Amino acid sequence: MKPYVILNAAMTLDGKIATATGSSNISGEDDLKRVHEIRKDCDAIMVGIGTVLADDPRLTVHKIDANPEDNPVRVVVDSKCNTPMDARITNSDAKTIIACANEYKDEFMASDKYETFKKRGVKFFWSGDRRVDLTSLMSYLHEEGIEKLMLEGGATLNFSMIKAGLIDEISICVAPMVVGGADAKTFFDGEGFDTMDEAVRLELTDSYSLGKDLILKYKVLK
């Protein structure tokens, strides 16, 4: 058992979610509100450590009217336990779970950093050897009562999740802009598939304009 996983992102027409320098302000105001409506409707929101280090996100519902209890549980995939002590996802705005790999468990749990996070109520989930076992993490989150999860991952986490068959729905905002750049981050990255026959198939379920942007919704075919 696992949560129903919705991957949400904004990308340029050429498939970039950030420039080579890390600039990622792609969504228009209307799309930002749409994203926060999805957050409000989900039990948890998950990102990778790269997003935490690059953006220091709050991962709360704050672009629309909401109460503190509307904030989803914040989940960070952080294999090497690199979440900064001052990261905003460790504050008291919402519950936080950090998923780490077993290789780094003993050293981290003996550190002052772990004690600080523990006092803040941050929970840790350990799985995998050098990298978090995402399938095990999804099972754990389901056991924690998380039925619907919003994935706002970076390119690597997005690919790892879809390769493992853990994404059910994709909601994407396509902005009318082109940035190019061989080193700019794409929607999916990772090692990729070798052939088109291996590609994950999707079914378009909805599409509409939102301001200057185009919203596309897909069902991931299993």
Side-chain angles (χ1 to χ4, degrees):
M1 299 293 287
K2 72 171 191 66
Y4 183 86
V5 177
I6 302 170
L7 169 58
N8 183 80
M11 72 177 185
T12 61
L13 184 61
D14 54 336
K16 308 298 185 181
I17 60 173
T19 66
T21 61
S23 177
S24 60
N25 52 328
I26 297 172
S27 291
E29 190 63 31
D30 289 339
D31 183 57
L32 290 175
K33 292 179 180 178
R34 179 191 68 87
V35 169
H36 282 252
E37 290 286 359
I38 299 175
R39 287 186 181 184
K40 187 176 181 179
D41 188 50
C42 287
D43 303 306
I45 178 171
M46 187 169 84
V47 299
I49 182 59
T51 298
V52 173
L53 295 176
D55 302 332
D56 191 22
R58 295 159 62 182
L59 301 185
T60 57
V61 182
H62 55 271
K63 295 289 185 181
I64 58 174
D65 291 336
N67 299 312
E69 56 267 27
D70 293 322
N71 289 329
V73 175
R74 300 170 295 193
V75 182
V76 181
V77 179
D78 178 15
S79 294
K80 298 181 180 180
C81 311
N82 286 329
T83 299
M85 291 181 64
D86 59 350
R88 293 198 291 180
I89 53 92
T90 67
N91 63 25
S92 60
D93 289 347
K95 295 180 180 178
T96 300
I97 298 171
I98 300 178
C100 307
N102 284 315
E103 179 173 323
Y104 311 94
K105 182 176 182 178
D106 292 342
E107 180 179 355
F108 180 74
M109 291 187 70
S111 68
D112 292 338
K113 187 176 180 180
Y114 170 72
E115 291 300 324
T116 298
F117 284 160
K118 187 177 178 181
K119 289 176 182 178
R120 295 179 191 169
V122 176
K123 297 179 68 174
F124 286 84
F125 173 75
W126 304 90
S127 68
D129 296 324
R130 303 184 67 183
R131 296 179 63 182
V132 172
D133 183 320
L134 294 172
T135 300
S136 295
L137 174 59
M138 291 300 106
S139 296
Y140 166 76
L141 293 177
H142 186 269
E143 292 171 1
E144 288 289 298
I146 295 171
E147 297 182 1
K148 186 183 291 187
L149 181 143
M150 180 181 185
L151 172 61
E152 287 194 17
T156 301
L157 179 57
N158 288 348
F159 183 76
S160 295
M161 286 286 289
I162 203 164
K163 182 181 180 182
L166 299 174
I167 296 176
D168 300 285
E169 179 182 325
I170 294 175
S171 181
I172 182 77
C173 168
V174 182
M177 59 177 75
V178 172
V179 296
D183 295 326
K185 288 291 185 181
T186 57
F187 189 19
F188 290 95
D189 201 343
E191 67 270 26
F193 294 113
D194 291 331
T195 68
M196 288 297 176
D197 289 341
E198 299 173 89
V200 176
R201 305 296 173 177
L202 310 174
E203 177 185 331
L204 182 66
T205 58
D206 197 9
S207 63
Y208 57 93
S209 296
L210 186 61
K212 296 180 179 180
D213 301 324
L214 174 64
I215 308 300
L216 301 172
K217 291 187 178 182
Y218 293 92
K219 173 184 177 182
V220 178
L221 302 179
K222 304 294 185 178

